[in-house]
C-alpha cells in the first residue's frame, strides 16, 4: 500500500488506481470483415460496406481474432465464459460510422485472471472483452476534422483491472508485463506509437479507512512513461484539491487529458450528454461458444511465458535477475539465447554477449529492428563464444569479431583468420609485450609488490594495446606478475 | 398537462440526435405510454427456467477465416460524403477527440 503524505497538511493519502488497456489483435483482417488490419496505409483504403456501416451489410466474426483473444485469456489465467455475446454500444462520433461500437457488455468472453508483479503483489483483472476499434479523427490539420476509417473495425481486446494499483511504478510494471505477455503469445504488437496499445487510467485518492472517493479518468497517454508521469501528477492534484477548504474546488468525476508538453492533466470539455450508451444485444451476431477442448488446445500450444522463463533462467543458468529479465522480456531474444546456450554450453557468457553487444547493436539500428536482422545466428554466436573459451580469441578481440560478423555475415572462425585476431599464446611473444609494458612503470611495480593487485590492470591494458587485442590477458597477467617478482 | 414520459422523450431524442418540435413531444409521450405498457406486460410473464434469448436467429459460432478480401475503392467510399479532403472524410471540427 502506497502512502502519500500531503505537503500542505501532513495527512496520509492512499491512491487507488485501475487501468483499462486496449490492444489491437494481430490478425490479417478486421474483426467482422475482410479488410486488411495493417497500419500505415493511405487513408480510407481499407474500408468496406461492413466497417463503414452501410445499410444491410452484415458482420461475420474473424476466427483468428477469437483464437488470439482466447490465448490472451489463458495466458492471464482468466476464466473463459462457455458462451458470450456481442452488444451494441451506441454513441455518435465522426469516427464511428455505424453509430455504435460492437462490444461485449454483460457477457464478456472472459473474467478474472491477473498479473503478478515482481514484488509478488497480484494485480487482478475484472474482465477482458472483445470489441471493434473506431476510425481515426485528426483534429490538427486545417479547419475541419479529418476522418480515416482504416482503423474502424480492427479487433481489440480491452482488459480492465480491479483498482488494485497504488502508485505509478506499479502501473508501469503492470503495463510492461502485460505487453510482454501479449507480444510473446503473438496476440498483439502492443506498439503505443502505432496505437496498437492504448491505456486509460482510473484514479482517486482516499484517507485511511475510507470508502472510495470520486474517481477521475485519464486519457491521451501515449507512452508508459506518460502513464507514470500523469499518475504522479494527478495524485498530487487530487490531494491538493481535496484539501482545498473551498468545496467547489474538490475533484469531480470527469475525464482529463494528459498534456505531454506541460506535464499536467486538464479537464476535457464536459460532454453535452452524460454517457448513455444504451447497450443492447447485436442482432447481427450470434452467440460465441468456447469448448473445454478448444481451451485445452490453446493452453497446450501456449509458449513458456516471460515470468516462467525469468525464473528458469535464474535457476537453471544461474543468471542475475537483471540478465534473466532482459533476456526473457522478448520472445525472440529468449529463444535466441536458449539456442545459443545449447550450442556453446556457456550461459553466463552467452547472456553477456547478447545483453552487452547484440542488443545494443540492435537498438542502435532503431526500435523496430529484430535481433535476427543483425545476421548473426545463434549458432554463429555460440561458435564465437567457443573460440574465446578455447583461448583462440581474446574477449576484446571477440568484440571486434562480433562487430565484423554483424557487418559481413561471416562466421567467427573465418573472421579470426581474416582479421589476424587469433590470440597469441606464444610465450616468447607475450614476454616481449610484457617486458615493454613494464618499462618506466616503477611505481606500478612497487604497488603490486605492496600487494595492490589492481595496479596490474593498467599493465595488462598496455599489453593488450601493444598486441592489438591479440594477447591472452590471463597469460599476460601471469607473466607480468612473474616479471614483477623477478624485477630489481 | 405534462405527460410523465416527456423527459424520457426529450432524452431519447437528444441521444438519437433528433430534433423534436415541442408540439410533437406530447404526442410521442403518449406513444411511449403504449410502448412501455406493452413491455410491462412482458415483465409479468413467468420466465424462470427460460434461457435468456440473445438473438432472434437460431445460430451460434458463425465465424470466417482470417483471409483478406478487397476493400472498396476509395473514390466509391468517399463519393457520397459532403466534404472530402486528401482522401479523408472532412467533418465539422470536433474539439474533444476522445472516442
Amino acid at each position: 500500500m502506497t502512502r502519500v503524505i500531503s505537503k500542505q497538511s501532513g495527512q496520509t493519502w492512499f491512491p487507488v488506481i485501475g487501468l483499462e488497456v486496449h490492444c489491437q489483435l494481430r490478425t490479417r483482417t478486421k474483426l467482422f470483415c475482410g479488410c486488411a488490419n495493417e497500419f500505415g496505409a493511405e487513408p480510407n483504403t481499407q474500408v468496406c460496406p461492413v466497417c463503414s456501416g452501410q445499410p444491410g451489410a452484415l458482420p461475420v466474426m474473424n476466427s483468428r481474432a477469437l483464437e488470439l483473444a482466447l490465448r490472451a485469456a489463458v495466458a492471464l489465467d482468466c476464466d473463459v465464459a462457455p458462451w458470450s455475446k456481442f452488444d451494441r454500444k451506441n454513441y455518435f462520433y465522426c469516427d464511428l460510422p455505424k453509430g455504435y461500437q460492437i462490444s461485449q457488455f454483460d457477457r464478456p468472453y472472459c473474467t478474472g485472471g491477473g498479473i503478478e508483479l515482481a514484488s509478488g503483489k497480484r494485480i487482478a483483472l475484472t474482465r477482458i472483452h472483445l470489441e471493434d476499434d473506431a476510425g481515426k479523427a485528426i483534429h490538427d490539420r486545417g479547419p475541419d476534422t479529418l476522418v480515416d476509417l482504416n482503423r474502424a473495425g480492427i479487433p481489440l481486446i480491452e482488459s480492465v483491472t480491479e483498482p488494485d494499483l497504488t502508485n505509478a511504478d506499479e502501473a508501469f510494471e503492470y503495463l510492461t508485463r502485460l505487453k510482454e505477455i501479449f507480444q510473446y503469445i503473438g496476440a498483439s504488437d502492443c506498439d503505443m506509437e502505432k496505437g496498437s496499445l492504448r491505456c486509460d487510467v482510473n484514479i482517486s485518492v482516499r484517507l485511511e479507512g475510507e470508502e472510495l472517493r470520486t474517481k477521475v479518468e485519464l486519457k491521451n497517454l501515449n507512452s508508459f512513461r506518460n502513464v507514470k508521469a500523469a499518475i504522479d501528477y494527478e495524485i498530487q492534484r487530487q490531494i491538493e484539491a481535496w484539501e482545498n477548504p473551498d468545496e467547489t474546488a474538490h475533484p469531480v468525476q470527469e475525464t482529463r487529458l494528459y498534456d505531454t508538453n506541460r506535464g499536467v492533466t486538464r479537464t476535457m470539455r464536459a460532454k453535452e450528454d452524460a454517457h448513455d450508451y444504451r447497450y443492447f444485444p447485436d442482432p447481427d451476431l450470434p452467440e460465441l461458444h468456447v469448448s473445454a477442448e478448444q481451451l485445452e488446445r490453446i493452453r497446450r500450444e501456449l509458449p513458456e511465458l516471460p515470468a516462467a522463463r525469468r525464473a528458469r533462467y535464474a535457476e537453471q543458468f544461474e543468471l542475475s535477475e537483471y540478465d534473466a529479465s532482459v533476456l526473457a522480456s522478448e520472445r525472440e531474444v529468449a529463444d535466441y539465447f536458449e539456442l545459443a546456450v545449447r550450442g556453446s554450453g556457456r550461459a553466463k557468457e552467452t547472456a553477456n554477449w547478447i545483453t552487452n553487444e547484440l542488443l545494443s547493436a540492435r537498438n542502435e539500428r532503431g526500435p523496430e529492428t529484430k535481433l535476427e536482422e543483425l545476421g548473426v545466428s545463434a549458432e554463429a554466436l555460440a561458435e564465437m563464444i567457443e573460440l574465446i573459451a578455447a583461448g583462440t580469441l581474446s574477449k576484446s578481440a571477440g568484440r571486434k569479431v562480433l562487430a565484423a560478423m554483424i557487418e559481413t555475415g561471416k562466421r567467427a572462425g573465418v573472421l579470426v583468420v581474416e582479421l589476424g585476431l587469433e590470440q597469441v599464446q606464444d610465450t616468447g611473444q607475450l614476454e616481449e609485450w610484457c617486458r615493454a609494458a613494464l618499462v618506466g612503470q616503477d611505481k606500478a611495480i612497487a604497488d603490486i609488490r605492496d600487494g595492490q593487485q589492481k595496479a596490474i590492470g593498467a599493465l595488462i591494458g598496455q599489453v593488450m594495446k601493444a598486441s592489438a587485442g591479440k594477447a591472452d590477458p590471463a597469460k599476460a597477467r601471469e607473466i607480468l606478475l612473474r616479471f614483477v617478482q623477478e624485477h630489481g | 398537462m405534462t405527460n410523465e414520459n416527456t423527459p424520457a422523450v426529450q432524452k431519447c431524442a437528444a441521444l438519437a440526435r433528433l430534433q423534436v418540435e415541442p408540439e410533437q413531444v406530447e404526442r410521442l409521450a403518449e406513444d411511449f405510454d403504449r410502448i412501455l405498457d406493452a413491455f410491462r406486460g412482458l415483465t409479468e410473464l413467468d420466465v424462470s427456467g427460460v434461457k435468456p434469448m440473445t438473438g432472434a436467429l437460431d445460430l451460434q459460432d458463425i465465424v470466417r477465416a482470417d483471409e483478406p478480401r478487397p476493400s472498396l475503392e476509395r473514390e466509391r467510399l468517399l463519393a457520397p460524403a459532403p466534404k472530402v479532403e486528401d482522401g479523408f472524410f472532412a467533418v465539422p471540427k470536433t474539439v474533444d477527440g476522445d472516442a
Side-chain angles (χ1 to χ4, degrees), chain A residues 193-394:
Chain A
E193 275 176 36
K194 292 180 181 168
S196 65
L197 184 152
R198 304 196 287 276
C199 174
D200 299 336
V201 177
N202 288 307
I203 179 167
S204 63
V205 295
R206 61 182 178 83
L207 294 170
E208 178 116 52
E210 274 187 345
E211 296 293 302
L212 297 179
R213 294 199 180 204
T214 310
K215 76 172 178 194
V216 165
E217 184 175 19
L218 304 180
K219 281 179 179 279
N220 199 31
L221 303 164
N222 54 16
S223 71
F224 287 2
R225 202 169 302 170
N226 281 347
V227 170
K228 224 172 132 171
I231 289 174
D232 280 333
Y233 175 84
E234 184 63 16
I235 290 171
Q236 291 303 332
R237 187 195 72 83
Q238 289 188 16
I239 291 174
E240 278 171 40
W242 283 119
E243 293 187 345
N244 192 322
D246 177 4
E247 277 187 26
T248 62
H250 287 181
V252 291
Q253 186 154 355
E254 62 175 348
T255 300
R256 297 178 71 87
L257 297 179
Y258 183 64
D259 183 333
T260 317
N261 296 326
R262 291 169 49 217
V264 301
T265 64
R266 56 183 166 78
T267 301
M268 199 176 89
R269 193 188 61 174
K271 290 219 159 159
E272 285 161 28
D273 313 297
H275 285 190
D276 184 347
Y277 294 126
R278 293 147 293 142
Y279 282 98
F280 64 86
D282 192 315
D284 293 339
L285 287 159
E287 286 173 14
L288 271 183
H289 291 241
V290 178
S291 69
E293 294 74 41
Q294 200 177 351
L295 278 180
E296 192 40 48
R297 176 186 56 75
I298 285 169
R299 197 178 309 271
R300 242 189 352 258
E301 290 173 3
L302 221 53
E304 186 185 18
L305 296 175
R309 281 204 186 192
R310 228 169 259 134
R312 185 164 62 78
Y313 289 176
E315 162 94 21
Q316 180 184 347
F317 300 127
E318 295 176 359
L319 296 186
S320 69
E321 205 172 293
Y322 175 79
D323 282 348
S325 177
V326 170
L327 292 170
S329 70
E330 288 170 69
R331 189 174 170 186
E332 193 208 3
V333 176
D335 288 345
Y336 182 95
F337 165 71
E338 292 192 30
L339 205 56
V341 172
R342 215 165 295 155
S344 71
R346 292 165 193 280
K348 184 66 199 156
E349 287 87 337
T350 305
N352 285 342
W353 283 104
I354 293 175
T355 55
N356 295 338
E357 304 297 328
L358 286 181
L359 290 182
S360 12
R362 180 192 71 166
N363 296 345
E364 269 167 32
R365 293 197 186 182
E368 302 270 320
T369 314
K370 290 207 168 2
L371 196 52
E372 177 194 70
E373 289 170 43
L374 293 178
V376 177
S377 69
E379 292 83 359
L381 178 70
E383 277 173 21
M384 192 207 76
I385 290 168
E386 281 177 279
L387 287 176
I388 295 172
T392 312
L393 195 59
S394 73

Side-chain angles (χ1 to χ4, degrees), chain A residues 131-167:
Chain A
E131 59 187 25
D132 64 351
D133 208 342
K136 200 168 169 47
I138 300 164
H139 306 284
D140 57 1
R141 246 193 263 173
D144 294 320
T145 288
L146 302 180
V147 181
D148 172 13
L149 296 181
N150 285 348
R151 202 177 71 181
I154 284 178
L156 293 175
I157 47 176
E158 176 176 353
S159 41
V160 182
T161 74
E162 293 289 307
D164 286 350
L165 301 142
T166 61
N167 62 53

